[in-house]
Amino acid sequence: MFIRIVKMSFHEENIPKFIENFNLMKEKIRNAEGNRYLELYQDKNNPCIFFTYSFWETEQDLENYRQSALFDDVWTFTKKLFNDKPEAWSVDKLVSLT
């Protein structure tokens, strides 16, 4: 399992559109094959910056999602709202303290 972190920055006036669409799509994204966890964060100092944080079983599961009609719908809508290029990282968890 690995973690995918995506940083997105939006025009301020587009934030409500993004949140509304995320709320409509979040269960579908979370239920994509291989997705085990999904969270959305908003930066405390810059409310235009958001992060998604998701756990994926395999890299192929993430790639299958990225090639799906669902991802196409989500990303086609979302990318129109950006004020900066998104960034993404795939990382392995090394330590977790609970």
Side-chain angles (χ1 to χ4, degrees), residues 19-45:
I19 292 173
E20 179 181 5
N21 191 61
F22 184 85
N23 284 330
L24 288 172
M25 305 304 268
K26 65 186 176 186
E27 293 296 327
K28 294 177 185 177
I29 297 167
R30 172 54 187 87
N31 290 318
E33 183 73 29
N35 185 299
R36 298 294 172 250
Y37 189 81
L38 175 64
E39 289 186 327
L40 176 66
Y41 302 110
Q42 186 175 27
D43 188 87
K44 284 209 168 278
N45 296 316

PDB file of all heavy atoms in Angstrom, residues 19-45:
ATOM      1  N   ILE A  19     -15.430  22.362  -3.880  1.00  0.00           N
ATOM      2  CA  ILE A  19     -15.928  21.620  -2.718  1.00  0.00           C
ATOM      3  C   ILE A  19     -17.246  20.915  -3.039  1.00  0.00           C
ATOM      4  O   ILE A  19     -17.450  19.756  -2.663  1.00  0.00           O
ATOM      5  CB  ILE A  19     -16.054  22.542  -1.495  1.00  0.00           C
ATOM      6  CG1 ILE A  19     -14.644  22.954  -1.037  1.00  0.00           C
ATOM      7  CG2 ILE A  19     -16.821  21.867  -0.362  1.00  0.00           C
ATOM      8  CD1 ILE A  19     -14.618  23.985   0.058  1.00  0.00           C
ATOM      9  N   GLU A  20     -18.120  21.600  -3.741  1.00  0.00           N
ATOM     10  CA  GLU A  20     -19.395  20.982  -4.116  1.00  0.00           C
ATOM     11  C   GLU A  20     -19.158  19.745  -4.978  1.00  0.00           C
ATOM     12  O   GLU A  20     -19.747  18.683  -4.739  1.00  0.00           O
ATOM     13  CB  GLU A  20     -20.275  21.984  -4.862  1.00  0.00           C
ATOM     14  CG  GLU A  20     -21.605  21.402  -5.301  1.00  0.00           C
ATOM     15  CD  GLU A  20     -22.459  22.393  -6.072  1.00  0.00           C
ATOM     16  OE1 GLU A  20     -21.994  23.520  -6.367  1.00  0.00           O
ATOM     17  OE2 GLU A  20     -23.605  22.030  -6.389  1.00  0.00           O
ATOM     18  N   ASN A  21     -18.298  19.860  -5.972  1.00  0.00           N
ATOM     19  CA  ASN A  21     -18.020  18.723  -6.843  1.00  0.00           C
ATOM     20  C   ASN A  21     -17.310  17.601  -6.078  1.00  0.00           C
ATOM     21  O   ASN A  21     -17.628  16.419  -6.269  1.00  0.00           O
ATOM     22  CB  ASN A  21     -17.190  19.144  -8.056  1.00  0.00           C
ATOM     23  CG  ASN A  21     -17.124  18.066  -9.092  1.00  0.00           C
ATOM     24  OD1 ASN A  21     -18.140  17.640  -9.639  1.00  0.00           O
ATOM     25  ND2 ASN A  21     -15.921  17.586  -9.372  1.00  0.00           N
ATOM     26  N   PHE A  22     -16.358  17.953  -5.218  1.00  0.00           N
ATOM     27  CA  PHE A  22     -15.676  16.931  -4.420  1.00  0.00           C
ATOM     28  C   PHE A  22     -16.685  16.157  -3.577  1.00  0.00           C
ATOM     29  O   PHE A  22     -16.634  14.929  -3.505  1.00  0.00           O
ATOM     30  CB  PHE A  22     -14.601  17.553  -3.524  1.00  0.00           C
ATOM     31  CG  PHE A  22     -13.813  16.528  -2.768  1.00  0.00           C
ATOM     32  CD1 PHE A  22     -12.718  15.909  -3.352  1.00  0.00           C
ATOM     33  CD2 PHE A  22     -14.169  16.168  -1.478  1.00  0.00           C
ATOM     34  CE1 PHE A  22     -11.994  14.951  -2.668  1.00  0.00           C
ATOM     35  CE2 PHE A  22     -13.455  15.208  -0.778  1.00  0.00           C
ATOM     36  CZ  PHE A  22     -12.368  14.601  -1.373  1.00  0.00           C
ATOM     37  N   ASN A  23     -17.616  16.872  -2.963  1.00  0.00           N
ATOM     38  CA  ASN A  23     -18.627  16.208  -2.136  1.00  0.00           C
ATOM     39  C   ASN A  23     -19.522  15.285  -2.957  1.00  0.00           C
ATOM     40  O   ASN A  23     -19.953  14.243  -2.457  1.00  0.00           O
ATOM     41  CB  ASN A  23     -19.451  17.226  -1.361  1.00  0.00           C
ATOM     42  CG  ASN A  23     -18.681  17.794  -0.186  1.00  0.00           C
ATOM     43  OD1 ASN A  23     -17.830  17.126   0.393  1.00  0.00           O
ATOM     44  ND2 ASN A  23     -18.967  19.039   0.157  1.00  0.00           N
ATOM     45  N   LEU A  24     -19.770  15.646  -4.197  1.00  0.00           N
ATOM     46  CA  LEU A  24     -20.560  14.778  -5.077  1.00  0.00           C
ATOM     47  C   LEU A  24     -19.783  13.527  -5.501  1.00  0.00           C
ATOM     48  O   LEU A  24     -20.374  12.463  -5.700  1.00  0.00           O
ATOM     49  CB  LEU A  24     -20.992  15.541  -6.336  1.00  0.00           C
ATOM     50  CG  LEU A  24     -22.057  16.605  -6.173  1.00  0.00           C
ATOM     51  CD1 LEU A  24     -22.222  17.387  -7.468  1.00  0.00           C
ATOM     52  CD2 LEU A  24     -23.377  15.965  -5.756  1.00  0.00           C
ATOM     53  N   MET A  25     -18.477  13.645  -5.628  1.00  0.00           N
ATOM     54  CA  MET A  25     -17.662  12.570  -6.203  1.00  0.00           C
ATOM     55  C   MET A  25     -16.880  11.753  -5.175  1.00  0.00           C
ATOM     56  O   MET A  25     -16.385  10.676  -5.496  1.00  0.00           O
ATOM     57  CB  MET A  25     -16.680  13.154  -7.218  1.00  0.00           C
ATOM     58  CG  MET A  25     -17.349  13.979  -8.305  1.00  0.00           C
ATOM     59  SD  MET A  25     -18.609  13.067  -9.190  1.00  0.00           S
ATOM     60  CE  MET A  25     -17.667  12.418 -10.524  1.00  0.00           C
ATOM     61  N   LYS A  26     -16.764  12.227  -3.954  1.00  0.00           N
ATOM     62  CA  LYS A  26     -15.856  11.608  -2.979  1.00  0.00           C
ATOM     63  C   LYS A  26     -16.154  10.137  -2.707  1.00  0.00           C
ATOM     64  O   LYS A  26     -15.220   9.339  -2.589  1.00  0.00           O
ATOM     65  CB  LYS A  26     -15.827  12.410  -1.679  1.00  0.00           C
ATOM     66  CG  LYS A  26     -17.138  12.435  -0.920  1.00  0.00           C
ATOM     67  CD  LYS A  26     -17.063  13.355   0.270  1.00  0.00           C
ATOM     68  CE  LYS A  26     -18.412  13.439   0.969  1.00  0.00           C
ATOM     69  NZ  LYS A  26     -18.373  14.443   2.026  1.00  0.00           N
ATOM     70  N   GLU A  27     -17.397   9.755  -2.629  1.00  0.00           N
ATOM     71  CA  GLU A  27     -17.724   8.343  -2.384  1.00  0.00           C
ATOM     72  C   GLU A  27     -17.342   7.471  -3.580  1.00  0.00           C
ATOM     73  O   GLU A  27     -16.854   6.349  -3.397  1.00  0.00           O
ATOM     74  CB  GLU A  27     -19.210   8.174  -2.064  1.00  0.00           C
ATOM     75  CG  GLU A  27     -19.631   8.806  -0.752  1.00  0.00           C
ATOM     76  CD  GLU A  27     -18.980   8.172   0.476  1.00  0.00           C
ATOM     77  OE1 GLU A  27     -18.719   6.943   0.451  1.00  0.00           O
ATOM     78  OE2 GLU A  27     -18.731   8.895   1.447  1.00  0.00           O
ATOM     79  N   LYS A  28     -17.523   7.996  -4.776  1.00  0.00           N
ATOM     80  CA  LYS A  28     -17.133   7.247  -5.979  1.00  0.00           C
ATOM     81  C   LYS A  28     -15.615   7.078  -6.027  1.00  0.00           C
ATOM     82  O   LYS A  28     -15.116   6.002  -6.361  1.00  0.00           O
ATOM     83  CB  LYS A  28     -17.636   7.951  -7.236  1.00  0.00           C
ATOM     84  CG  LYS A  28     -19.141   7.968  -7.362  1.00  0.00           C
ATOM     85  CD  LYS A  28     -19.564   8.747  -8.585  1.00  0.00           C
ATOM     86  CE  LYS A  28     -21.074   8.857  -8.632  1.00  0.00           C
ATOM     87  NZ  LYS A  28     -21.523   9.665  -9.764  1.00  0.00           N
ATOM     88  N   ILE A  29     -14.898   8.147  -5.709  1.00  0.00           N
ATOM     89  CA  ILE A  29     -13.432   8.071  -5.700  1.00  0.00           C
ATOM     90  C   ILE A  29     -12.979   7.074  -4.634  1.00  0.00           C
ATOM     91  O   ILE A  29     -12.150   6.200  -4.887  1.00  0.00           O
ATOM     92  CB  ILE A  29     -12.810   9.460  -5.445  1.00  0.00           C
ATOM     93  CG1 ILE A  29     -13.169  10.424  -6.573  1.00  0.00           C
ATOM     94  CG2 ILE A  29     -11.291   9.344  -5.287  1.00  0.00           C
ATOM     95  CD1 ILE A  29     -12.871  11.886  -6.259  1.00  0.00           C
ATOM     96  N   ARG A  30     -13.538   7.202  -3.448  1.00  0.00           N
ATOM     97  CA  ARG A  30     -13.158   6.316  -2.343  1.00  0.00           C
ATOM     98  C   ARG A  30     -13.456   4.857  -2.650  1.00  0.00           C
ATOM     99  O   ARG A  30     -12.750   3.951  -2.200  1.00  0.00           O
ATOM    100  CB  ARG A  30     -13.882   6.765  -1.067  1.00  0.00           C
ATOM    101  CG  ARG A  30     -13.768   5.857   0.136  1.00  0.00           C
ATOM    102  CD  ARG A  30     -12.324   5.541   0.509  1.00  0.00           C
ATOM    103  NE  ARG A  30     -12.286   4.542   1.547  1.00  0.00           N
ATOM    104  CZ  ARG A  30     -12.293   3.237   1.341  1.00  0.00           C
ATOM    105  NH1 ARG A  30     -12.333   2.741   0.128  1.00  0.00           N
ATOM    106  NH2 ARG A  30     -12.264   2.395   2.357  1.00  0.00           N
ATOM    107  N   ASN A  31     -14.500   4.603  -3.432  1.00  0.00           N
ATOM    108  CA  ASN A  31     -14.890   3.237  -3.771  1.00  0.00           C
ATOM    109  C   ASN A  31     -14.223   2.718  -5.037  1.00  0.00           C
ATOM    110  O   ASN A  31     -14.521   1.606  -5.475  1.00  0.00           O
ATOM    111  CB  ASN A  31     -16.409   3.129  -3.877  1.00  0.00           C
ATOM    112  CG  ASN A  31     -17.067   3.252  -2.517  1.00  0.00           C
ATOM    113  OD1 ASN A  31     -16.597   2.687  -1.536  1.00  0.00           O
ATOM    114  ND2 ASN A  31     -18.139   4.017  -2.443  1.00  0.00           N
ATOM    115  N   ALA A  32     -13.303   3.500  -5.613  1.00  0.00           N
ATOM    116  CA  ALA A  32     -12.550   3.008  -6.775  1.00  0.00           C
ATOM    117  C   ALA A  32     -11.736   1.784  -6.349  1.00  0.00           C
ATOM    118  O   ALA A  32     -11.270   1.704  -5.205  1.00  0.00           O
ATOM    119  CB  ALA A  32     -11.632   4.107  -7.314  1.00  0.00           C
ATOM    120  N   GLU A  33     -11.585   0.850  -7.251  1.00  0.00           N
ATOM    121  CA  GLU A  33     -10.832  -0.364  -6.972  1.00  0.00           C
ATOM    122  C   GLU A  33      -9.449  -0.020  -6.421  1.00  0.00           C
ATOM    123  O   GLU A  33      -8.707   0.756  -7.026  1.00  0.00           O
ATOM    124  CB  GLU A  33     -10.679  -1.186  -8.249  1.00  0.00           C
ATOM    125  CG  GLU A  33      -9.968  -2.501  -8.064  1.00  0.00           C
ATOM    126  CD  GLU A  33     -10.806  -3.545  -7.358  1.00  0.00           C
ATOM    127  OE1 GLU A  33     -12.047  -3.505  -7.467  1.00  0.00           O
ATOM    128  OE2 GLU A  33     -10.210  -4.413  -6.696  1.00  0.00           O
ATOM    129  N   GLY A  34      -9.134  -0.564  -5.245  1.00  0.00           N
ATOM    130  CA  GLY A  34      -7.819  -0.367  -4.656  1.00  0.00           C
ATOM    131  C   GLY A  34      -7.690   0.850  -3.757  1.00  0.00           C
ATOM    132  O   GLY A  34      -6.688   0.992  -3.062  1.00  0.00           O
ATOM    133  N   ASN A  35      -8.681   1.757  -3.748  1.00  0.00           N
ATOM    134  CA  ASN A  35      -8.610   2.925  -2.867  1.00  0.00           C
ATOM    135  C   ASN A  35      -9.078   2.501  -1.486  1.00  0.00           C
ATOM    136  O   ASN A  35     -10.169   1.977  -1.322  1.00  0.00           O
ATOM    137  CB  ASN A  35      -9.483   4.060  -3.401  1.00  0.00           C
ATOM    138  CG  ASN A  35      -9.327   5.327  -2.586  1.00  0.00           C
ATOM    139  OD1 ASN A  35      -9.617   5.341  -1.401  1.00  0.00           O
ATOM    140  ND2 ASN A  35      -8.882   6.381  -3.220  1.00  0.00           N
ATOM    141  N   ARG A  36      -8.240   2.739  -0.482  1.00  0.00           N
ATOM    142  CA  ARG A  36      -8.547   2.318   0.880  1.00  0.00           C
ATOM    143  C   ARG A  36      -8.812   3.481   1.833  1.00  0.00           C
ATOM    144  O   ARG A  36      -9.247   3.264   2.962  1.00  0.00           O
ATOM    145  CB  ARG A  36      -7.405   1.458   1.439  1.00  0.00           C
ATOM    146  CG  ARG A  36      -7.183   0.187   0.670  1.00  0.00           C
ATOM    147  CD  ARG A  36      -8.396  -0.743   0.806  1.00  0.00           C
ATOM    148  NE  ARG A  36      -8.293  -1.880  -0.066  1.00  0.00           N
ATOM    149  CZ  ARG A  36      -9.046  -2.087  -1.148  1.00  0.00           C
ATOM    150  NH1 ARG A  36      -9.964  -1.200  -1.493  1.00  0.00           N
ATOM    151  NH2 ARG A  36      -8.889  -3.156  -1.880  1.00  0.00           N
ATOM    152  N   TYR A  37      -8.565   4.710   1.369  1.00  0.00           N
ATOM    153  CA  TYR A  37      -8.679   5.854   2.284  1.00  0.00           C
ATOM    154  C   TYR A  37      -8.645   7.130   1.457  1.00  0.00           C
ATOM    155  O   TYR A  37      -7.895   7.217   0.483  1.00  0.00           O
ATOM    156  CB  TYR A  37      -7.485   5.819   3.243  1.00  0.00           C
ATOM    157  CG  TYR A  37      -7.525   6.785   4.383  1.00  0.00           C
ATOM    158  CD1 TYR A  37      -8.269   6.510   5.521  1.00  0.00           C
ATOM    159  CD2 TYR A  37      -6.773   7.944   4.348  1.00  0.00           C
ATOM    160  CE1 TYR A  37      -8.268   7.389   6.599  1.00  0.00           C
ATOM    161  CE2 TYR A  37      -6.764   8.820   5.422  1.00  0.00           C
ATOM    162  CZ  TYR A  37      -7.511   8.538   6.539  1.00  0.00           C
ATOM    163  OH  TYR A  37      -7.509   9.399   7.593  1.00  0.00           O
ATOM    164  N   LEU A  38      -9.442   8.119   1.844  1.00  0.00           N
ATOM    165  CA  LEU A  38      -9.449   9.397   1.126  1.00  0.00           C
ATOM    166  C   LEU A  38      -9.763  10.516   2.109  1.00  0.00           C
ATOM    167  O   LEU A  38     -10.726  10.424   2.876  1.00  0.00           O
ATOM    168  CB  LEU A  38     -10.498   9.373   0.003  1.00  0.00           C
ATOM    169  CG  LEU A  38     -10.701  10.673  -0.768  1.00  0.00           C
ATOM    170  CD1 LEU A  38      -9.431  11.055  -1.536  1.00  0.00           C
ATOM    171  CD2 LEU A  38     -11.889  10.534  -1.720  1.00  0.00           C
ATOM    172  N   GLU A  39      -8.932  11.558   2.081  1.00  0.00           N
ATOM    173  CA  GLU A  39      -9.193  12.758   2.869  1.00  0.00           C
ATOM    174  C   GLU A  39      -8.910  13.983   2.013  1.00  0.00           C
ATOM    175  O   GLU A  39      -8.114  13.927   1.077  1.00  0.00           O
ATOM    176  CB  GLU A  39      -8.298  12.816   4.111  1.00  0.00           C
ATOM    177  CG  GLU A  39      -8.662  11.812   5.168  1.00  0.00           C
ATOM    178  CD  GLU A  39      -7.859  11.969   6.442  1.00  0.00           C
ATOM    179  OE1 GLU A  39      -6.676  12.364   6.384  1.00  0.00           O
ATOM    180  OE2 GLU A  39      -8.439  11.685   7.504  1.00  0.00           O
ATOM    181  N   LEU A  40      -9.555  15.083   2.392  1.00  0.00           N
ATOM    182  CA  LEU A  40      -9.326  16.378   1.751  1.00  0.00           C
ATOM    183  C   LEU A  40      -8.913  17.349   2.847  1.00  0.00           C
ATOM    184  O   LEU A  40      -9.541  17.425   3.910  1.00  0.00           O
ATOM    185  CB  LEU A  40     -10.604  16.881   1.072  1.00  0.00           C
ATOM    186  CG  LEU A  40     -10.534  18.272   0.440  1.00  0.00           C
ATOM    187  CD1 LEU A  40      -9.563  18.280  -0.742  1.00  0.00           C
ATOM    188  CD2 LEU A  40     -11.922  18.721  -0.001  1.00  0.00           C
ATOM    189  N   TYR A  41      -7.839  18.106   2.589  1.00  0.00           N
ATOM    190  CA  TYR A  41      -7.335  19.101   3.528  1.00  0.00           C
ATOM    191  C   TYR A  41      -7.323  20.474   2.861  1.00  0.00           C
ATOM    192  O   TYR A  41      -7.145  20.573   1.645  1.00  0.00           O
ATOM    193  CB  TYR A  41      -5.892  18.792   3.953  1.00  0.00           C
ATOM    194  CG  TYR A  41      -5.699  17.444   4.585  1.00  0.00           C
ATOM    195  CD1 TYR A  41      -5.014  16.444   3.909  1.00  0.00           C
ATOM    196  CD2 TYR A  41      -6.175  17.174   5.864  1.00  0.00           C
ATOM    197  CE1 TYR A  41      -4.807  15.201   4.491  1.00  0.00           C
ATOM    198  CE2 TYR A  41      -5.964  15.939   6.454  1.00  0.00           C
ATOM    199  CZ  TYR A  41      -5.287  14.953   5.761  1.00  0.00           C
ATOM    200  OH  TYR A  41      -5.079  13.728   6.332  1.00  0.00           O
ATOM    201  N   GLN A  42      -7.463  21.513   3.684  1.00  0.00           N
ATOM    202  CA  GLN A  42      -7.340  22.895   3.217  1.00  0.00           C
ATOM    203  C   GLN A  42      -6.247  23.574   4.033  1.00  0.00           C
ATOM    204  O   GLN A  42      -6.220  23.454   5.271  1.00  0.00           O
ATOM    205  CB  GLN A  42      -8.662  23.644   3.382  1.00  0.00           C
ATOM    206  CG  GLN A  42      -8.661  25.041   2.796  1.00  0.00           C
ATOM    207  CD  GLN A  42     -10.032  25.691   2.892  1.00  0.00           C
ATOM    208  OE1 GLN A  42     -10.844  25.378   3.765  1.00  0.00           O
ATOM    209  NE2 GLN A  42     -10.291  26.614   1.982  1.00  0.00           N
ATOM    210  N   ASP A  43      -5.353  24.266   3.366  1.00  0.00           N
ATOM    211  CA  ASP A  43      -4.243  24.946   4.029  1.00  0.00           C
ATOM    212  C   ASP A  43      -4.761  26.016   4.985  1.00  0.00           C
ATOM    213  O   ASP A  43      -5.676  26.773   4.650  1.00  0.00           O
ATOM    214  CB  ASP A  43      -3.330  25.567   2.973  1.00  0.00           C
ATOM    215  CG  ASP A  43      -2.058  26.113   3.565  1.00  0.00           C
ATOM    216  OD1 ASP A  43      -1.101  25.332   3.688  1.00  0.00           O
ATOM    217  OD2 ASP A  43      -2.018  27.310   3.891  1.00  0.00           O
ATOM    218  N   LYS A  44      -4.179  26.084   6.174  1.00  0.00           N
ATOM    219  CA  LYS A  44      -4.602  27.068   7.172  1.00  0.00           C
ATOM    220  C   LYS A  44      -4.201  28.491   6.820  1.00  0.00           C
ATOM    221  O   LYS A  44      -4.894  29.437   7.161  1.00  0.00           O
ATOM    222  CB  LYS A  44      -4.020  26.707   8.530  1.00  0.00           C
ATOM    223  CG  LYS A  44      -4.729  25.562   9.194  1.00  0.00           C
ATOM    224  CD  LYS A  44      -4.624  25.721  10.696  1.00  0.00           C
ATOM    225  CE  LYS A  44      -5.537  24.779  11.402  1.00  0.00           C
ATOM    226  NZ  LYS A  44      -6.897  25.240  11.498  1.00  0.00           N
ATOM    227  N   ASN A  45      -3.064  28.663   6.142  1.00  0.00           N
ATOM    228  CA  ASN A  45      -2.571  30.000   5.828  1.00  0.00           C
ATOM    229  C   ASN A  45      -3.017  30.511   4.466  1.00  0.00           C
ATOM    230  O   ASN A  45      -3.067  31.714   4.247  1.00  0.00           O
ATOM    231  CB  ASN A  45      -1.046  30.029   5.918  1.00  0.00           C
ATOM    232  CG  ASN A  45      -0.571  29.751   7.324  1.00  0.00           C
ATOM    233  OD1 ASN A  45      -1.115  30.282   8.290  1.00  0.00           O
ATOM    234  ND2 ASN A  45       0.416  28.890   7.457  1.00  0.00           N
TER     235      ASN A  45
END
